[in-house]
Amino acid sequence: MLWKSLKGKRYLIVMDDIWDTRAWVDLKSLFPNDNNGSRIMFTSRFTNVALHANPSSPPLDLRFLTEDESWDLFQQKVFQREICPPNLMCVGKKIAKNCQGLPLAIVVVGGMLANRKELPGWWKEVEKILDSRVLEPCMETLALSYNHLPHYLKPCFLYLAAFPQDFVI
């Protein structure tokens, strides 16, 4: 039914966490190739799966965010279209930096602080407790498969947090 409903149409399919080449072989037959610009994108924790899907194109290994990128994402999450007040800028930048370039952590912490913009004391408490020991349990709660990823693939998974909830990608 899927193949039939997509036949002749242009589509973008996004799949998360393909574990082995057999799964990809089984799945790709469900999508017609009409040479009309349709695309399939997937994440995998295994490089061999990505290479099997397209040996001529190396897999994309996503990097951690820079401090500036982390601050920009943090501001977007906390203030949306407002400007960060000067009294929160210093502590806010420290919080964003303590998220270690992980978009999911930035979005979670930013969401927590978005409703407390008027409480600088609360921000300072968050800054004090926010370190890698705090980030790991947060990610375990948010994503069950996160802990199974090798360290170098975790940023790829976490990049999805940069998109707002229910955002059409």
Side-chain angles (χ1 to χ4, degrees):
M1 283 179 27
L2 177 63
W3 190 90
K4 190 175 179 179
S5 67
L6 294 175
K7 183 71 178 151
K9 296 179 181 168
R10 189 170 166 187
Y11 56 83
L12 169 66
I13 304 293
V14 180
M15 296 181 286
D16 184 34
D17 211 11
I18 304 293
W19 280 55
D20 61 43
T21 55
R22 288 178 307 184
W24 170 245
V25 169
D26 291 344
L27 286 168
K28 78 175 184 177
S29 66
L30 300 175
F31 306 108
N33 183 0
D34 295 325
N35 293 318
N36 61 359
S38 294
R39 295 288 183 260
I40 302 170
M41 180 172 70
F42 67 81
T43 64
S44 178
R45 53 189 86 195
F46 303 108
T47 303
N48 68 317
V49 176
L51 289 172
H52 180 79
N54 190 352
S56 64
S57 177
L60 179 62
D61 289 322
L62 298 175
R63 61 175 175 73
F64 292 99
L65 297 179
T66 65
E67 282 187 35
D68 288 339
E69 291 167 333
S70 296
W71 174 238
D72 290 343
L73 179 59
F74 181 80
Q75 285 188 98
Q76 287 174 4
K77 184 63 181 174
V78 175
F79 301 106
Q80 280 100 30
R81 295 167 202 244
E82 299 173 22
I83 297 171
C84 178
N87 66 321
L88 294 176
M89 190 165 299
C90 184
V91 69
K93 284 187 176 186
K94 288 178 184 175
I95 290 170
K97 182 179 178 179
N98 286 343
C99 289
Q100 302 172 16
L102 301 170
L104 181 59
I106 295 166
V107 169
V108 169
V109 173
M112 189 173 68
L113 294 172
N115 297 325
R116 295 180 172 89
K117 290 181 275 203
E118 66 285 345
L119 300 172
W122 173 252
W123 284 50
K124 288 180 181 161
E125 287 300 312
V126 169
E127 178 203 353
K128 286 179 193 174
I129 65 166
L130 187 63
D131 62 23
S132 61
R133 292 183 309 267
V134 174
L135 291 177
E136 190 65 29
C138 170
M139 286 181 226
E140 286 177 25
T141 302
L142 295 172
L144 295 174
S145 63
Y146 179 82
N147 288 328
H148 299 287
L149 288 172
H151 179 23
Y152 65 92
L153 285 181
K154 288 181 180 180
C156 178
F157 180 80
L158 297 174
Y159 258 72
L160 296 176
F163 294 99
Q165 184 174 341
D166 298 326
F167 183 78
V168 178
I169 301 171

